[in-house]
Structure formats: structure tokens, C-alpha cells
Amino acid sequence: MRRQNFLRLALIPLAPCALAALAWACANWYSGSLLREGDGAFSARPATRFAAAVEKLAPASDLKAVNSSEGWTESATAAVTLLHRALFLDPKPADPAAAEKSLRAFADWRASLLTPPSDTYRHRPYTTFYQPELSSLGTAEFSVAWIPAEKALTPASLDEITLPEEFSLYLAGAIAWAKNDSPSAQAAWEKLLALPEESRRHQGVFAAFMLGKLSAKDSRIENLPKARGYFQQTRQLAQNASDPCGLAAASLGEEARTYLAASPSVADFSSAAQLYLQQLATGDYSATPSLQHVLRRLARLNDTALQEVARDNTLRPLFSAYLTADGGRWGEKPSDDQVRRWIRTLEASDTASPQDALLLALLCYQQGEYFSCSRWLHKAPADAPLNHWLMARLLIREGKTTEAAALLARTIRTLNLGDQLQKTSSDTYEPVSPWRYEEELLFGVDDLALASRIIAEHGLLAMSAEDFTAALDDFLLSQLDEDAAYVAEFVLKTDELKSYVDPRWPADTTAAVGIQIRHLLAKRLLREQRTHDAREYFPAAVREVFDQYVAHSR
């Protein structure tokens, strides 16, 4: 009766009592199910993960971002570190006591210029050193911390200390910046940049970056090219100078913002997007919401401007990725009208590349335009897993489940999708569960989630064809653990499960999934009073307990 009814039950939600029994039988191992979704497993609207999609579009970069939750202290801490290096190591000072006095005074000044993250605490910052004798250290270890304002020290007069010229000039500019004296800040920092290269290697990057910030401060159109020049100079200087705060990487995002001031053209949007992609490649993931902001503004353009977007090789794939991801996580979901306008725009143009055709096919599928989806799939890369998956979905919609299963099986075999997942099956990495694919990536850096989804849906089709061992293979491989447990516990007979386990997961297996499925078989054998057969399938760690249980049961 079980097998006769399974074809009818395979694609409808599992009964609550079966799931309750499943949870009892399998403890904490199994999670995730497509069988529970019923017909929705094949009809659910897919979406991509924006962050993963744009990572594929980002170019390689030699720059490295500095991501920190303590950004308000980074500049001061880095500046004192660099001064310590200049005073004590490059070269060693003739008067260590005077050098230490200068270092402490400079640290007090840099800390006094910071703005607290919240006025609620009414604290001011002060640099605290962990080691008392800096002159004897190879490196300085310190941090900037908050202390009550009434206990903070007043910075020493700059006339009382001797600093290398680049540090004196940068500090003078920073003090002027804090007082909103932009002309004095600009004069000090420009004088710093005019120093010989060997005399500005510690503070030159800082000065160029801040001159860029200063030029872009009021967003005046005439100052923006100058700001871009300073941000570009920041990256040039960082090639041969100190950049502990990752300002070269940060300058990419700052320069991008200059293109978004006033009323940007499509060309300005493209320039900004290119810079944000470069910033993302440095490891600065704040570029992702910045790209979302750019693309959200593109979605509001008129049809003529959208045609220009379609001709831009940077914006076109980005905008398609944005729409297939429903605007991205925490983003503004594009309207159906905006999506259809973009589809019509690309269909009317001759600029779509094969990869654009693949994204356009996904967009059409999301919108329920299945004929257009099929047409674009024939223009997309033939070896793309997403192409095969969408083709199979279209076949299933036409009731051609046998053809769909054959296509997915061929995809799994020719693209070695099973090998991709097996290589990631370890204690340190867990592939993305396909049952959450609307929240995760469908195609991204390594295509693992899509591979997992393809294998899982092939398992569902195998279930409907009553090929239960093939379905169990697929569910285990794709980590649909609830579905694997359902098949192992409720569909296969005990001896059928044993015949499945023995050749695939022998006693010496070290694979976690093999140990788990053998353990499940052991519990089934034990419930049927087949204690002699059950023992070898229990994990070695519990066999002693099993032997005690058997001894007390006699």
C-alpha cells in the first residue's frame, strides 16, 4: 500500500504526524525538506542573492580594505603607530625621552580631535598606552579609549614638542579641519604633499585622502574633478607609502560618490558603479549597498535612459542581477513594471551577451513569461547549470517529467555537480541548503546552491518515478536531510535500506553522512529485534552502550 500510494503522495506536503515521527527518530541530524513543499517545490519563484552575483562581476584588485567596527579610532591609532615608527625605528632617536614626550603629546592631540559616537556619554577620547616605556619597544601597542571628560588631559602645546615635518603638517591640517577652517586645512595638507617623497611616506596617503574629502565636502560641481584627482592620488601614493587604514581602498567609494552628486548622467552612474565594483574587490562589502543605491536610481530612469543603460557593459549585467535578486537583501523591491520595462528594453536592443541572455531568461521566468524564457535560454551559454535548471522547470510545467529528470541527470553527470558538493562536505564547510534557495544564492561564486538545488529536484522526480534509492542518494548529497530521513525511515523496507547502505557506506567510512545513515539503519534493525545485525552499524562511540543495553535486555 505504501508504494502504491507514494506516487500520489510524493509531491504533496507530508503529514504532521510523519514529520513528528521523523523528528523523534532522527534527533538533530536532519533539517530541510522539499517534500514538505509539495507542488510548490517546482512552482516557487526563484531569486538570486545580489551580493553573490555582483562579486562575480568585481575585477581583481591588489588593494585591501580595512573593515573595522571602531572606525572612529582607526585614524588616530594608525597615526600614532606611524609616528612611533618614525621616531624610534627610522632611525633610532638620539634622545629617547624627548621622542617619547613628542609621541605622547601627538597621541593626546590626535585623540582630542575625535568625535564621540554618541553625545549621550559626554566622554572625550584619550589615547592610552599599554606599555609605559615606548622607547624600549620594537613596536608600540596602544589603543584609543573613552574616558570621562573631566579626567581627560589637555593636549600639550605643539610648540613644546618636536615632530617630523609631515606629522606636524598633517596635525595642523587636522586641527583646522576640526575647527571647520577648510582653507587652513587645505594649505597644510597641500604643503605636506609638496614634500619630497621620502619625507611624506607616513602621512602622504592621509593628506591626499583628506584633501579629496575636503574638495568634495560641499558637493560643488566645479570642485568634484579636483576631489577625484586627490582620491586617485591617494591610490598612487599608497603603492609606495604607508596605508594602515586602507584609505586607498576607501578612496574608491569616495570617488564614486562624486559622480552621484547633482543630476548624474548614465555615464556618471557607470563610472560610479565601476569604482564601487573595484571597492568591493578590495574586500569592502559596504560597496554592495552602494551599488544597490545606484541601481535603485537606475530603475527610476525613463525609457530613453534605460536604452543607454542597456548599451553600457558595466551597468547592463549589474542591473539585471539587481532585478533577478528582487533588489537584494534589505533593498527596495523593484516593481513588476520596472522589471518588464527592462525586459522590453533588452529585447529591443542588440547588446545582450550570452550571460545577459541567461539573466534575462531568469527574469522572464520570474515574471511568468515562459515562452520568452525559453527563447532566451537558447541564446544563453549552453553549459550553464542555470540554463539546464530553467529548461527542466519548463519541461515540468509541460508535464514532461521524464524528460526533465533525464535533463537534470545529464546535467549532474556532465557538469560533475555531485563532485562539487562532495568536495565541500567537511566539518568546516556546509553547502548552502537548497530548500532556502529564495534567501540564498542561486548562482554565485561557486554555484554550490544551484548544484544542490538541481540534485534535490532530481531526487523529487526520482521519488515520483518510484526510484527511491536514487532519490535517497540525491537527498543525502544535497543535504535535504528531512527528506533523506523520510525515505530511509518510511519508504524503504529495512532490508532495502541495508542493501542500499552496505555498498555505498561500508563500516570503515569516515564520511559524516555515511556514519549518520548507518546509525539510522542500526536503529531500525534494533527496533525489529535484529540486535546481531544492528551492532556493526552503530558508531564505534556508542557500541559499548549498545552492548550494555543488549546484556540488560536478556
Side-chain angles (χ1 to χ4, degrees):
M1 177 63 71
R2 175 179 57 191
R3 290 179 180 273
Q4 291 174 350
N5 290 339
F6 191 81
L7 183 60
R8 179 170 55 85
L9 296 174
L11 299 182
I12 64 174
L14 299 180
C17 58
L19 291 178
L22 190 64
W24 171 84
C26 304
N28 296 325
W29 174 33
Y30 295 114
S31 62
S33 172
L34 280 186
L35 288 176
R36 282 192 299 177
E37 295 183 16
D39 292 336
F42 290 116
S43 61
R45 181 181 184 276
T48 64
R49 187 163 67 92
F50 179 72
V54 296
E55 283 175 13
K56 295 185 70 174
L57 300 174
S61 177
D62 294 329
L63 300 178
K64 184 174 178 58
V66 175
N67 295 297
S68 171
S69 60
E70 301 294 337
W72 49 273
T73 67
E74 280 178 0
S75 178
T77 300
V80 181
T81 301
L82 294 174
L83 180 59
H84 174 269
R85 186 182 302 167
L87 290 177
F88 290 97
L89 306 177
D90 193 23
K92 291 186 177 181
D95 186 350
E100 185 169 328
K101 178 181 178 182
S102 297
L103 179 62
R104 290 183 181 277
F106 179 80
D108 289 346
W109 264 109
R110 289 296 285 117
S112 72
L113 298 174
L114 295 175
T115 302
S118 172
D119 292 336
T120 304
Y121 299 98
R122 297 184 180 179
H123 288 180
R124 61 174 290 175
Y126 177 69
T127 302
T128 302
F129 294 90
Y130 293 142
Q131 275 80 10
E133 299 297 333
L134 296 178
S135 58
S136 64
L137 298 176
T139 58
E141 296 183 23
F142 50 83
S143 66
V144 178
W146 295 107
I147 64 172
E150 62 270 15
K151 295 183 179 180
L153 300 180
T154 301
S157 170
L158 291 179
D159 297 332
E160 300 175 7
I161 59 176
T162 302
L163 295 173
E165 187 176 10
E166 62 175 315
F167 287 91
S168 295
L169 289 171
Y170 186 82
L171 185 56
I175 294 172
W177 171 274
K179 295 178 179 179
N180 290 318
D181 184 358
S182 296
S184 297
Q186 180 175 348
W189 289 331
E190 286 180 341
K191 187 176 179 180
L192 193 164
L193 289 182
L195 295 174
E197 181 178 352
E198 64 275 8
S199 300
R200 53 170 165 77
R201 63 183 181 277
H202 294 305
Q203 294 289 280
V205 172
F206 288 81
F209 182 81
M210 290 305 298
L211 281 168
K213 294 271 287 185
L214 190 152
S215 299
K217 187 176 181 181
D218 56 5
S219 297
R220 293 172 59 182
I221 300 298
E222 60 271 21
N223 289 340
L224 296 181
K226 189 175 182 179
R228 293 165 195 155
Y230 281 125
F231 290 131
Q232 292 164 13
Q233 186 179 12
T234 300
R235 298 193 289 277
Q236 294 170 355
L237 292 174
Q239 295 176 7
N240 301 299
S242 301
D243 184 22
C245 291
L247 296 181
S251 71
L252 292 164
E254 294 292 339
E255 184 180 347
R257 292 175 61 185
T258 66
Y259 286 99
L260 302 178
S263 301
S265 64
V266 171
D268 291 330
F269 282 125
S270 180
S271 296
Q274 291 176 43
L275 288 164
Y276 282 135
L277 284 172
Q278 294 176 46
Q279 183 186 15
L280 180 63
T282 69
D284 187 345
Y285 296 106
S286 68
T288 300
S290 297
L291 283 167
Q292 287 177 276
H293 171 72
V294 171
L295 298 167
R296 182 164 58 248
R297 294 176 67 174
L298 290 184
R300 299 168 185 160
L301 296 178
N302 59 36
D303 290 347
T304 302
L306 272 185
Q307 292 172 6
E308 193 174 345
V309 173
R311 292 190 293 269
D312 189 284
N313 292 331
T314 298
L315 295 177
R316 186 178 61 252
L318 274 174
F319 194 49
S320 292
Y322 171 78
L323 295 178
T324 59
D326 289 339
R329 193 175 187 184
W330 300 307
E332 179 181 306
K333 181 179 173 64
S335 68
D336 288 343
D337 178 64
Q338 290 172 331
V339 175
R340 292 191 176 105
R341 284 177 59 221
W342 180 241
I343 292 174
R344 290 196 302 270
T345 300
L346 281 184
E347 287 178 337
S349 73
D350 57 356
T351 58
S353 67
Q355 187 62 32
D356 292 324
L358 186 61
L359 290 178
L360 191 54
L362 179 58
L363 274 176
C364 291
Y365 187 91
Q366 290 174 331
Q367 293 295 312
E369 299 181 9
Y370 303 116
F371 178 79
S372 296
C373 174
S374 177
R375 182 163 51 84
W376 281 105
L377 285 176
H378 286 90
K379 299 180 181 181
D383 60 347
L386 181 60
N387 189 329
H388 298 183
W389 180 69
L390 288 174
M391 283 280 196
R393 280 294 191 91
L394 294 176
L395 289 170
I396 292 170
R397 289 190 57 83
E398 297 173 6
K400 301 176 180 179
T401 56
T402 302
E403 291 89 337
L407 174 59
L408 293 181
R410 188 166 61 253
T411 302
I412 294 167
R413 183 173 59 255
T414 57
L415 300 181
N416 296 317
L417 299 185
D419 290 345
Q420 290 183 36
L421 291 184
Q422 286 179 329
K423 288 177 182 177
T424 62
S425 297
S426 68
D427 294 335
T428 58
Y429 185 90
E430 186 174 325
V432 180
S433 296
W435 62 283
R436 294 186 60 196
Y437 76 111
E438 289 195 70
E439 301 173 20
E440 304 291 348
L441 66 123
L442 260 180
F443 56 100
V445 176
D446 52 15
D447 293 332
L448 281 179
L450 182 57
S452 186
R453 183 76 191 194
I454 288 173
I455 293 171
E457 292 192 0
H458 180 263
L460 287 181
L461 294 172
M463 287 289 284
S464 67
E466 299 192 38
D467 189 352
F468 302 122
T469 56
L472 182 54
D473 268 336
D474 289 337
F475 293 153
L476 287 173
L477 185 57
S478 59
Q479 293 195 338
L480 280 182
D481 299 328
E482 277 189 16
D483 294 342
Y486 180 82
V487 176
E489 284 278 13
F490 297 106
V491 179
L492 293 177
K493 297 176 181 178
T494 303
D495 286 333
E496 290 174 335
L497 180 60
K498 187 174 182 298
S499 297
Y500 167 84
V501 169
D502 286 343
R504 290 171 174 81
W505 312 105
D508 59 352
T509 184
T510 58
V513 65
I515 294 172
Q516 298 284 8
I517 195 69
R518 288 179 64 85
H519 195 179
L520 186 149
L521 173 58
K523 289 186 287 186
R524 284 197 64 177
L525 290 168
L526 182 59
R527 289 199 298 270
E528 295 178 7
Q529 305 299 315
R530 297 167 62 176
T531 54
H532 178 74
D533 292 336
R535 188 182 188 281
E536 67 173 294
Y537 294 98
F538 277 105
V542 299
R543 283 179 191 164
E544 182 178 350
V545 176
F546 170 78
D547 291 338
Q548 294 174 0
Y549 168 79
V550 172
H552 283 84
S553 298
R554 290 173 180 169

